[in-house]
Amino acid sequence: MSSDYLKGYRTPHKPAEDPGISLAGFGVPKESLDAWMHLQSFFARGEVTPCAGRSEWSSSKAKDKATAIRLCGDCPARAACHEFAETNGETGAIWAGVNRGPGTQ
């Protein structure tokens, strides 16, 4: 019997086309995948970013936002963060030193 057939079936099995990696369940659209992977590569290498484990990046307080923007200046992932925010159309929090919150566009 040919490998095109599944056991017990008389018609050939045609597997679905592989859609590739998807992070849609995490809210990351397919067109943003490359930028997301670039950003995640910093964390995979164990690099520490100023935003790791801190709440200032999503705070609504002006003082917290100013701190986040200042700390982004020396971040090794800043370019990747900016790329992801632009590609994904982020509209909240601080991304790569830019306040993308409501009313800042």
Side-chain angles (χ1 to χ4, degrees), residues 29-54:
K30 190 170 183 82
E31 56 273 9
S32 300
L33 183 61
D34 288 340
W36 174 256
M37 297 304 285
H38 183 205
L39 182 57
Q40 293 305 307
S41 71
F42 286 89
F43 305 117
R45 290 192 305 258
E47 293 198 38
V48 178
T49 60
C51 58
R54 298 181 67 163

Side-chain angles (χ1 to χ4, degrees), residues 8 15 18-19 50 61-62 69 85:
D18 182 3
K61 297 177 182 175
I69 290 168

Side-chain angles (χ1 to χ4, degrees), residues 8-26:
Y9 287 86
R10 294 176 187 236
T11 56
H13 170 69
K14 294 181 182 173
E17 191 174 311
D18 182 3
I21 297 172
S22 174
L23 296 175
F26 295 106

